[in-house]
Amino acid sequence: MLNLERLRTLDALARHGSVSGAAEGLHITTSAVSQQMSKLEREVGQQILAKNGRGVRLTDAGRLLAEHAARILSQVELAQSDLEAQRGQVVGELRVAAFPTAARGLFPSALSTLRTEHPALRLRSCELEPEAGIAGVIRGDLDLAVVLDWYNKPMALPEGLVKAHIVDDPADVAMPAGHRLADRDEVDLAEFAEDEWITWGEGEFCHEWLMFTLRSQGIEPHLGHRAPESHTQFALVAAGLGVCIAPLLGRHPMPAGVVTVPLRQRVRRHVFVVWRADADRRPSIRAAVRALRDAGANVS
């Protein structure tokens, strides 16, 4: 009889590609991963792992068993979802992530509501960029991830995930109070062709969106500073070091010396939450989506 926890460890190792990654994803030690794999090899009577430089790789038998493990664990999750749905109770553990401004703008209200209304639900949250959040849900490290795309640059959603809309998040341009356009009611992106932009980190979805959007307006952006966190960007704007995009979600409090002006193009982000389709019937998922939507309705 195959042991479910050992199959779960094998699945994590296959998904993460390393013992250390599997240990981090499962919140156990690397020695515990190795012990579980040794026991699983004895159970199946075949070698599952082979040395690969300083790490390990799955053997052919290991890859075959890992494929079965993924299907078995998916069926187990479906069974747990069905049992939770039959009971209709919001219980167990819920692991959630959100990109930083959503974590600031949505989590305090949504998670507080969940704790008050469902005290038997254990909540764990963290900040992750959208791509990392989606990857965490696919791997099974997370139950839910709040992610985003932009009005003109949608994010592809992998198969096997379900999503629900949370809020459309309008974005302005933040600039120093003494900027030549600070007293305007509306501005065009083209008017910032000579300004220095403060942007997100290289390779981040929002940074790629900004480059795409500015270049579609015929602007080759001057990049002055990079900061993944919006309030760091605002602090740099307050210091007169450039301008940045300022979504409404998680914006406040805005530092002194910064003015936000709406864009005539009505720039906005679509904020949504994703989860695995095989967990779709879990009452805890449904409760969390409702709480996040309620929090999104109060964004101002």
Side-chain angles (χ1 to χ4, degrees), residues 75-94:
Q75 285 300 119
V76 169
E77 178 137 28
L78 279 170
Q80 291 172 333
S81 296
D82 285 345
L83 286 171
E84 280 190 34
Q86 187 181 52
R87 290 197 308 265
Q89 296 175 342
V90 180
V91 297
E93 181 178 79
L94 197 68

Side-chain angles (χ1 to χ4, degrees), residues 149-152 168-171 209 265-270:
D149 62 17
W150 292 83
Y151 73 105
N152 60 342
D168 282 343
D169 185 27
W209 165 80
Q265 295 91 342
R266 296 295 183 262
V267 171
R268 64 197 179 280
R269 305 188 296 185
H270 306 302

Side-chain angles (χ1 to χ4, degrees), residues 260-273:
T260 59
V261 180
L263 281 159
R264 191 168 288 112
Q265 295 91 342
R266 296 295 183 262
V267 171
R268 64 197 179 280
R269 305 188 296 185
H270 306 302
V271 180
F272 53 99
V273 59

Side-chain angles (χ1 to χ4, degrees), residues 172-184 187 192 195 234 237-238 240 242-244 246 257-262:
D172 304 330
V173 177
M175 63 195 78
H179 192 277
R180 67 187 186 283
L181 303 175
D183 60 351
R184 293 272 296 277
V187 290
F192 297 92
D195 284 270
F234 298 153
V237 171
V243 300
C244 74
V258 176
V259 172
T260 59
V261 180

Side-chain angles (χ1 to χ4, degrees), residues 108-168:
S109 174
L111 300 187
S112 176
T113 295
L114 286 170
R115 172 170 286 183
T116 300
E117 295 182 354
H118 309 288
L121 182 65
R122 298 187 305 277
L123 295 164
R124 288 170 46 198
S125 70
C126 64
E127 288 187 1
L128 286 175
E129 292 300 326
E131 297 93 335
I134 288 175
V137 172
I138 292 171
R139 289 196 307 265
D141 300 336
L142 296 168
D143 298 301
L144 290 165
V146 179
V147 299
L148 65 90
D149 62 17
W150 292 83
Y151 73 105
N152 60 342
K153 193 174 178 63
M155 176 180 283
L157 197 65
E159 289 186 13
L161 297 186
V162 179
K163 73 175 183 178
H165 175 263
I166 299 301
V167 66
D168 282 343

Side-chain angles (χ1 to χ4, degrees), residues 18-299:
S18 68
V19 171
S20 59
E24 184 177 353
L26 294 170
H27 305 285
I28 60 177
T29 65
T30 54
S31 62
V33 172
S34 299
Q35 290 170 13
Q36 292 274 44
M37 290 300 92
S38 295
K39 291 177 181 177
L40 187 57
E41 286 182 332
R42 290 197 294 272
E43 284 178 352
V44 301
Q46 295 190 62
Q47 186 179 3
I48 293 174
L49 298 180
K51 288 187 176 180
N52 184 31
R54 294 185 177 181
V56 295
R57 61 173 176 81
L58 292 176
T59 64
D60 289 344
R63 286 195 296 273
L64 178 63
L65 186 56
E67 291 173 2
H68 284 289
R71 290 193 291 271
I72 291 167
L73 293 169
S74 179
Q75 285 300 119
V76 169
E77 178 137 28
L78 279 170
Q80 291 172 333
S81 296
D82 285 345
L83 286 171
E84 280 190 34
Q86 187 181 52
R87 290 197 308 265
Q89 296 175 342
V90 180
V91 297
E93 181 178 79
L94 197 68
R95 301 158 298 169
V96 299
F99 59 95
T101 51
R104 184 187 310 111
L106 298 175
F107 273 5
S109 174
L111 300 187
S112 176
T113 295
L114 286 170
R115 172 170 286 183
T116 300
E117 295 182 354
H118 309 288
L121 182 65
R122 298 187 305 277
L123 295 164
R124 288 170 46 198
S125 70
C126 64
E127 288 187 1
L128 286 175
E129 292 300 326
E131 297 93 335
I134 288 175
V137 172
I138 292 171
R139 289 196 307 265
D141 300 336
L142 296 168
D143 298 301
L144 290 165
V146 179
V147 299
L148 65 90
D149 62 17
W150 292 83
Y151 73 105
N152 60 342
K153 193 174 178 63
M155 176 180 283
L157 197 65
E159 289 186 13
L161 297 186
V162 179
K163 73 175 183 178
H165 175 263
I166 299 301
V167 66
D168 282 343
D169 185 27
D172 304 330
V173 177
M175 63 195 78
H179 192 277
R180 67 187 186 283
L181 303 175
D183 60 351
R184 293 272 296 277
D185 293 328
E186 290 183 327
V187 290
D188 285 313
L189 279 174
E191 296 179 274
F192 297 92
E194 302 305 318
D195 284 270
E196 273 196 301
W197 282 92
I198 299 164
T199 181
W200 295 267
E202 183 72 37
E204 288 188 19
F205 185 74
C206 287
H207 169 76
E208 297 303 322
W209 165 80
L210 181 61
M211 298 301 99
F212 168 80
T213 301
L214 290 174
R215 286 167 179 157
S216 71
Q217 297 282 323
I219 302 170
E220 185 55 39
H222 305 294
L223 302 183
H225 304 276
R226 297 180 186 273
E229 216 286 327
S230 61
H231 276 240
T232 304
Q233 295 184 11
F234 298 153
L236 294 170
V237 171
L241 297 173
V243 300
C244 74
I245 295 293
L248 180 60
L249 183 62
R251 179 191 297 180
H252 303 294
M254 186 69 74
V258 176
V259 172
T260 59
V261 180
L263 281 159
R264 191 168 288 112
Q265 295 91 342
R266 296 295 183 262
V267 171
R268 64 197 179 280
R269 305 188 296 185
H270 306 302
V271 180
F272 53 99
V273 59
V274 301
W275 63 94
R276 293 184 303 282
D278 55 18
D280 194 46
R281 295 187 63 195
R282 288 177 58 189
S284 56
I285 296 284
R286 296 298 172 187
V289 172
R290 285 194 299 272
L292 287 165
R293 280 178 161 167
D294 289 344
N298 293 322
V299 172

Side-chain angles (χ1 to χ4, degrees), residues 2-11 26 36-37 73:
L2 293 172
N3 179 280
L4 188 62
E5 285 308 308
R6 288 166 200 156
L7 290 180
R8 197 180 305 279
T9 304
L10 174 63
D11 177 65
L26 294 170
Q36 292 274 44
M37 290 300 92
L73 293 169

